[in-house]
Amino acid sequence: MSSIPSPTLRPAVALPPMPDEDEASRLYPACEMARARFERDALRFDEAKGFDRALSDGFFLLKIPTGVELDAGDRFVRHFFEPPARGKLAPYTGYRNRIVPGDYQGYFKREHDQWENFYIERSNWGMLPATVARTGKAMSGIGIDVLRATLGHLGIPEVEWNKLTGGLTAKRGHQMLAFNHFRSDKPVRGSKFHRDSGWVTVLRSTAPGLLAYIDGGLRAINPEAGYFIVNFGSSIEVLTERLPKRVRANIHGVARTIRRHDEQERVSYVVFLDSDLDGDIYQYQGGAPIGVQSVKDFALQEVSRTYDGLERLL
């Protein structure tokens, strides 16, 4: 990272140590997230001010559209880290040693966290089982539709969307599938508190444990059957920092997972949606977008803070 102060670094936030699941359930109440659905290709919230509350909280629940199949993704996330198997599980195992071309891709075992991940960008989804790739494409399309709806709600002219998002609103950009398995045998945090670096994240989770910093305190972000959890990333927070309506990239992380006997480990998977890495990060001010940093430098800055051993988000 350059020695020049970054124009996108947010002030330091003091956070409590990451609790375990049992502590989190006792200490932190659930966030009552806004709920939305797609209706004739329009994003509709259940309450009149739901969209604005979602922008302020940084999270909302999105009804999973009819026809989105999740069985293959659910199977993949429970087995990707296992040694190669034979039979029906063969396509879903053996990814720890799979080499994926490109930056920030492949298998990662985190030193300071319980989670292990498999990251793969859309250009490489042909390496996945076809049914898993279809799930990724569906989740990615949903996230891009959320982004387009959000930019429209903010009043940003559509003619500028492609430039601002590095091609993402035109279904290009950087579309990354990430599969997460939390190893309960590691006596460390589930994951560090962090902000996602991109525009929109679409999360498939079926177990509690996700915590977010909302209105000066931690709240549980609990999954609900039939819904994705959607959260906004740092790119849109930077873009809207000087607008009347600002979008919050919420600080969040995962409590230490505790499992007993034969209980299933915690897993989740997401689509991260970002600008192309050769583009720029913009801030909208004075009725025009101003370039403030390269996407590559911004991603390096945010990613390096996500996986380090510090307990405090800097």
Side-chain angles (χ1 to χ4, degrees):
M1 195 186 305
S2 169
S3 59
I4 299 173
S6 168
T8 59
L9 267 180
R10 272 60 55 83
V13 177
L15 297 167
M18 181 65 75
D20 63 36
E21 287 180 317
D22 292 342
E23 293 169 329
S25 65
R26 292 196 309 269
L27 295 175
Y28 303 117
C31 174
E32 292 295 330
M33 288 177 280
R35 297 165 182 265
R37 65 198 181 281
F38 278 105
E39 192 174 274
R40 296 187 181 90
D41 297 327
L43 184 60
R44 307 290 187 192
F45 281 80
D46 291 358
E47 58 184 91
K49 297 293 185 180
F51 211 146
D52 289 342
R53 185 155 70 88
L55 302 185
S56 177
D57 288 347
F59 281 90
F60 68 93
L61 290 169
L62 178 66
K63 186 75 174 175
I64 298 172
T66 302
V68 176
E69 296 292 338
L70 299 173
D71 289 350
D74 292 352
R75 186 176 302 112
F76 186 90
V77 77
R78 294 211 170 274
H79 299 285
F80 75 89
F81 51 88
E82 296 175 352
R86 295 181 179 179
K88 292 182 179 180
L89 282 181
Y92 303 93
T93 58
Y95 285 84
R96 289 185 67 153
N97 299 314
R98 191 71 59 92
I99 303 300
V100 182
D103 295 333
Y104 308 114
Q105 297 189 68
Y107 173 83
F108 297 89
K109 185 178 181 180
R110 307 299 180 184
E111 177 184 357
H112 307 290
D113 306 286
Q114 287 183 323
W115 66 2
E116 56 186 342
N117 324 100
F118 185 74
Y119 286 2
I120 185 164
E121 207 273 334
R122 182 165 182 165
S123 60
N124 293 316
W125 288 357
M127 299 174 65
L128 299 171
T131 47
V132 178
R134 284 199 295 271
T135 299
K137 290 175 182 177
M139 292 175 67
S140 182
I142 289 166
I144 291 170
D145 287 343
V146 167
L147 176 58
R148 292 174 60 87
T150 302
L151 294 174
H153 182 72
L154 294 168
I156 296 174
E158 186 171 355
V159 69
E160 294 177 340
W161 294 358
N162 187 57
K163 174 184 177 180
L164 294 174
T165 67
L168 186 59
T169 52
K171 301 190 176 180
R172 298 190 301 274
H174 197 68
Q175 305 174 38
M176 183 83 83
L177 261 174
F179 297 90
N180 310 305
H181 169 238
F182 295 80
R183 306 193 70 97
S184 62
D185 57 340
K186 291 179 68 176
V188 293
R189 65 197 182 195
S191 76
K192 183 185 175 181
F193 285 115
H194 63 281
R195 298 178 182 91
D196 291 348
S197 63
W199 293 94
V200 170
T201 300
V202 180
L203 167 65
R204 164 66 168 169
S205 176
T206 59
L210 181 63
L211 297 173
Y213 187 69
I214 297 175
D215 295 331
L218 291 180
R219 297 288 184 271
I221 304 296
N222 293 332
E224 185 165 327
Y227 286 83
F228 288 127
I229 297 173
V230 177
N231 69 285
F232 296 104
S234 293
S235 295
I236 197 165
E237 181 173 85
V238 171
L239 178 73
T240 63
E241 187 174 350
R242 295 176 183 265
L243 293 180
K245 287 183 180 180
R246 291 177 289 179
V247 183
R248 181 176 183 178
N250 208 297
I251 298 167
H252 59 281
V254 178
R256 177 187 168 190
T257 300
I258 298 173
R259 291 293 181 267
R260 302 170 182 87
H261 307 300
D262 296 327
E263 293 177 324
Q264 284 190 327
E265 297 272 30
R266 188 182 199 280
V267 296
S268 65
Y269 55 98
V270 306
V271 165
F272 295 117
L273 298 172
D274 210 339
S275 301
D276 279 329
L277 292 178
D278 59 356
D280 291 309
I281 297 294
Y282 293 90
Q283 187 176 91
Y284 211 86
Q285 50 181 291
I290 307 297
V292 294
Q293 193 176 25
S294 73
V295 172
K296 191 166 291 186
D297 285 348
F298 184 66
L300 178 61
Q301 166 187 292
E302 297 298 303
V303 169
S304 66
R305 297 192 300 161
T306 299
Y307 303 111
D308 65 29
L310 300 177
E311 289 296 336
R312 190 181 188 193
L313 183 70
L314 301 177

